[in-house]
Amino acid sequence: QKEVEQNSGPLSVPEGAIASLNCTYSDRGSQSFFWYRQYSGKSPELIMFIYSNGDKEDGRFTAQLNKASQYVSLLIRDSQPSDSATYLCAGGQRGGSNYKLTFGKGTLLTVNP
Amino acid sequence: NAGVTQTPKFRILKIGQSMTLQCTQDMNHNYMYWYRQDPGMGLKLIYYSVGAGITDKGEVPNGYNVSRSTTEDFPLRLELAAPSQTSVYFCASRYRDQPQHFGDGTRLSIL
């Protein structure tokens, strides 16, 4: 069974610090990975996606993918209280006919002012 | 461009009643999904569709039915509502291997 594992947290960081969120996956066929942010009572919104090994940066966010270790991470630099939310990691295959994503249960991040 | 639209936003049902949760997307996405999310839990896939006329079961399909007669619409049907179906329901759509886009959700309580 394909699984995506995340530390449920809560992860607590002070304002201005770097928050590091981690995710491991079991399906070696997974080639696309997504990070979603979900505020309490709201729907998930896309933060980053990454398809290739290495780092991908977008503003304060950096996604990192290591396919050999089956590991994905999301770094949030200069964390703000508005970043406090649950972060969902998701993985899926590319190509073929399987376009389902497998979601982790999410990590709750709290940024303290 | 409205994205993914879900209706209703809130609903209270009595045990045994039936209802349909509506989902419409205007992005011409071929893939559509229904998830449920219980408090403190992740997203569980109920059903998905890879195109009009094609649907398949996800992890937790029991008690639900879907249809996909058009590219835009993917309604979810609850036939005999049970308390275990109290949850938040999210519809999502996607083009091939691009990111999924989520609707705002439907909060459903069954009493």
Side-chain angles (χ1 to χ4, degrees), chain A residues 100, chain B residues 33-36 43-48 58-61:
Chain A
K100 290 186 292 182
Chain B
Y33 309 83
W34 274 106
Y35 295 91
R36 61 176 287 173
L43 295 163
K44 294 185 178 179
L45 182 64
I46 305 171
Y47 271 96
Y48 69 103
E59 303 171 67
V60 290

Side-chain angles (χ1 to χ4, degrees), chain A residues 1 32 34 36 38 41-46 49 51 88 92-97 99-101 103-105, chain B residues 31 33 35 37 40-43 45 48 50 57 59 90 94 96-105 107:
Chain A
Q1 184 172 347
S32 56
F34 306 87
Y36 288 85
Q38 187 175 25
K42 300 294 185 182
S43 62
E45 57 177 324
L46 181 71
F49 61 93
Y51 298 155
L88 302 172
Q93 297 182 356
R94 302 186 75 188
S97 60
Y99 288 105
K100 290 186 292 182
L101 292 183
F103 283 84
K105 293 183 178 180
Chain B
Y31 295 90
Y33 309 83
Y35 295 91
Q37 187 176 40
M41 303 296 289
L43 295 163
L45 182 64
Y48 69 103
V50 300
K57 296 177 181 179
E59 303 171 67
F90 291 106
R94 186 182 190 202
R96 295 181 66 84
D97 62 349
Q98 298 302 303
Q100 282 188 358
H101 297 260
F102 286 85
D104 289 340
R107 281 160 180 73

Side-chain angles (χ1 to χ4, degrees), chain B residues 24-86:
Chain B
T24 299
Q25 54 92 9
D26 62 358
M27 297 173 283
N28 201 32
H29 287 173
N30 45 349
Y31 295 90
M32 295 189 74
Y33 309 83
W34 274 106
Y35 295 91
R36 61 176 287 173
Q37 187 176 40
D38 298 323
M41 303 296 289
L43 295 163
K44 294 185 178 179
L45 182 64
I46 305 171
Y47 271 96
Y48 69 103
S49 169
V50 300
I54 306 171
T55 62
D56 206 349
K57 296 177 181 179
E59 303 171 67
V60 290
N62 291 342
Y64 306 95
N65 279 299
V66 294
S67 60
R68 183 101 181 266
S69 57
T70 66
T71 299
E72 294 79 19
D73 299 309
F74 190 40
L76 177 71
R77 178 85 177 162
L78 282 71
E79 290 294 348
L80 289 171
S84 61
Q85 294 177 305
T86 293

